[in-house]
């Protein structure tokens, strides 16, 4: 529970536009589910972000970082902590030569558009990933044969003890849906990407093609957190779910997508408990049918067994 002293300290320094209380996480996640968080902080700049996290550390109150909430499931009971949202206000993107510097709150779509306008190729794969650069760096986001580590040169990060450090691509230790920053609890502040010059029209055409392919194959018309399960080595998660007979499997308002079995979607006012039940049932059924235990790609907060 966030105490009054911390609330007042945040309000004094950041103002009531940047600090709110009892905010439904359903408003901040693409699943459109989740109970209230005690305190939501939306820093206007990097200095405010550093202050907020330091204030939480000094008060002994947990602070969790969220971007656009595109890979997150929050329990119906909500969160008894501070959530710091890095998006919108911390989203500047600049281009110099073949280099793109993006603040952590910039959406992948925004970065891809800026790169395209500058005639820089390499970030097209991320143009439809519904998250931020900070999130992409943390989880080594990837799609259609591309990954964040393919184009990232370095990161600027805040360490758990409050130091701002530069992290090289080698130090980031990226692998499939993993990074050193995630493991060590670093907060990504910005990223430097090294891209390649190309014809803007050709880049735009590739982005449009990827957008069409996503729209054809993925249930983009329904709230979800994107691909629900990690890809097991040697398998495709969606096919395992389909082969287990779970296409359209439903609990309450949550359902395995009938369009792509790798997605769990909110079809009709789902609760977080509905979504969690579908995920757990899919894991059990796939293990029974194929002997493979699917691991969620979605982060789960506020449940007895969390995936951070």
């Amino acid at each position: 529970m966030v105490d009054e002293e911390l609330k007042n300290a945040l309000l004094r320094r950041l103002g009531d536009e940047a600090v709110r209380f009892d905010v439904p996480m359903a408003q901040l996640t693409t699943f459109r589910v989740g109970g209230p968080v005690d305190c939501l902080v939306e820093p206007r700049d990097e200095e405010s972000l550093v202050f907020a996290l330091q204030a939480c550390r000094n008060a002994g109150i947990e602070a969790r970082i969220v971007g656009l909430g595109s890979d997150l499931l929050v329990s119906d009971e909500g969160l008894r902590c501070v959530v710091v949202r890095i998006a919108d206000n911390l989203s500047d993107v600049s281009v110099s030569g073949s280099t793109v510097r993006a603040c952590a709150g910039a959406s992948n779509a925004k970065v891809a558009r800026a790169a395209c306008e500058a005639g820089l190729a390499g970030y097209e794969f991320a143009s439809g990933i519904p998250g931020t650069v900070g999130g992409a760096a943390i989880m080594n986001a990837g799609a259609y044969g591309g990954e964040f580590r393919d184009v990232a040169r370095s990161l600027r990060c805040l360490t758990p003890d409050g130091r701002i450090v530069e992290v090289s691509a080698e130090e980031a230790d990226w692998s499939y849906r993993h990074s050193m920053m995630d493991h060590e609890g670093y907060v990504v502040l910005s990223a430097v990407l090294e891209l390649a010059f190309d014809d803007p029209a050709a880049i735009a055409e590739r982005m449009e093609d990827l957008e069409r392919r996503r729209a054809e194959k993925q249930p983009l018309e329904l709230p979800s957190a994107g691909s629900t399960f990690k890809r097991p080595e040697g398998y495709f998660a969606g096919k395992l779910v389909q082969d287990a007979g779970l296409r359209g499997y439903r609990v309450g308002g949550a359902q395995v997508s009938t369009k792509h079995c790798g997605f769990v979607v909110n079809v009709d006012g789902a609760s977080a408990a509905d979504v969690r039940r579908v995920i757990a049932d899919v894991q059990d059924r796939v293990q029974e049918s194929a002997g493979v235990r699917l691991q969620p790609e979605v982060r789960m907060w506020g449940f007895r067994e969390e995936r951070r």
Side-chain angles (χ1 to χ4, degrees):
M1 186 71 68
V2 180
D3 60 37
E4 292 301 315
E5 185 176 352
L6 176 58
K7 290 180 180 180
N8 291 332
L10 293 170
L11 282 170
R12 282 195 302 271
R13 179 65 178 267
L14 306 181
D16 56 13
E17 291 185 359
V19 182
R20 294 184 285 152
F21 307 104
D22 298 318
V23 178
M25 288 299 294
Q27 298 177 359
L28 305 174
T29 66
T30 55
F31 251 133
R32 297 293 178 255
V33 301
V37 61
D38 282 352
C39 179
L40 174 70
V41 177
E42 298 180 282
R44 291 182 297 275
D45 49 41
E46 189 176 289
E47 184 180 51
S48 299
L49 168 62
V50 172
F51 171 83
L53 294 177
Q54 184 63 56
C56 291
R57 280 194 297 272
N58 292 343
I61 300 297
E62 181 182 24
R64 301 188 180 197
I65 305 297
V66 68
L68 295 175
S70 59
D71 65 342
L72 181 61
L73 177 65
V74 177
S75 73
D76 299 306
E77 290 72 28
L79 303 168
R80 308 284 74 80
C81 65
V82 174
V83 165
V84 179
R85 184 171 183 264
I86 302 178
D88 302 329
N89 290 335
L90 297 167
S91 61
D92 290 348
V93 179
S94 60
V95 179
S96 177
S98 61
T99 298
V100 175
R101 183 178 298 273
C103 290
S107 70
N108 291 308
K110 179 178 181 179
V111 175
R113 286 195 302 269
C116 178
E117 290 169 4
L120 294 176
Y123 210 65
E124 296 95 312
F125 75 91
S127 59
I129 296 177
T132 63
V133 166
I138 288 289
M139 68 177 294
N140 186 30
Y144 295 101
E147 291 183 304
F148 190 81
R149 65 178 170 182
D150 297 336
V151 295
R153 191 170 77 191
S154 64
L155 304 171
R156 193 162 180 267
C157 297
L158 182 66
T159 68
D161 60 3
R163 293 177 296 115
I164 294 179
V165 298
E166 294 290 327
V167 176
S168 68
E170 183 178 61
E171 292 168 330
D173 191 29
W174 281 299
S175 59
Y176 178 68
R177 302 300 179 262
H178 167 270
S179 70
M180 176 277 289
M181 295 76 66
D182 187 26
H183 186 264
E184 298 296 333
Y186 282 33
V187 177
V188 175
L189 301 175
S190 62
V192 175
L193 311 178
E194 188 64 40
L195 304 179
F197 290 107
D198 198 358
D199 176 29
I203 298 169
E205 185 176 344
R206 289 194 292 270
M207 288 170 59
E208 290 168 5
D209 176 60
L210 291 178
E211 184 178 355
R212 285 193 297 270
R213 290 161 65 183
R214 286 189 177 91
E216 289 171 0
K217 297 179 180 180
Q218 298 178 12
L220 304 182
E221 69 280 4
L222 292 169
S224 77
S227 181
T228 305
F229 300 100
K230 294 181 180 180
R231 184 182 67 245
E233 188 172 353
Y235 299 92
F236 291 102
K239 188 174 189 309
L240 288 172
V241 177
Q242 178 177 315
D243 290 349
L246 292 169
R247 180 184 295 275
Y249 176 73
R250 181 167 174 171
V251 174
Q255 183 182 57
V256 173
S257 170
T258 57
K259 191 173 187 180
H260 190 312
C261 291
F263 288 66
V264 174
V265 293
N266 181 352
V267 291
D268 185 18
S271 67
D274 293 341
V275 177
R276 183 69 187 94
R277 184 72 263 160
V278 170
I279 291 173
D281 289 350
V282 167
Q283 289 177 294
D284 291 344
R285 291 272 292 276
V286 168
Q287 185 160 21
E288 290 170 7
S289 65
V292 177
R293 186 69 178 177
L294 293 177
Q295 297 302 316
E297 190 167 308
V298 178
R299 294 181 296 161
M300 300 181 192
W301 289 358
F303 298 88
R304 182 173 299 178
E305 292 183 4
E306 286 199 352
R307 181 180 176 274
R308 296 292 298 275

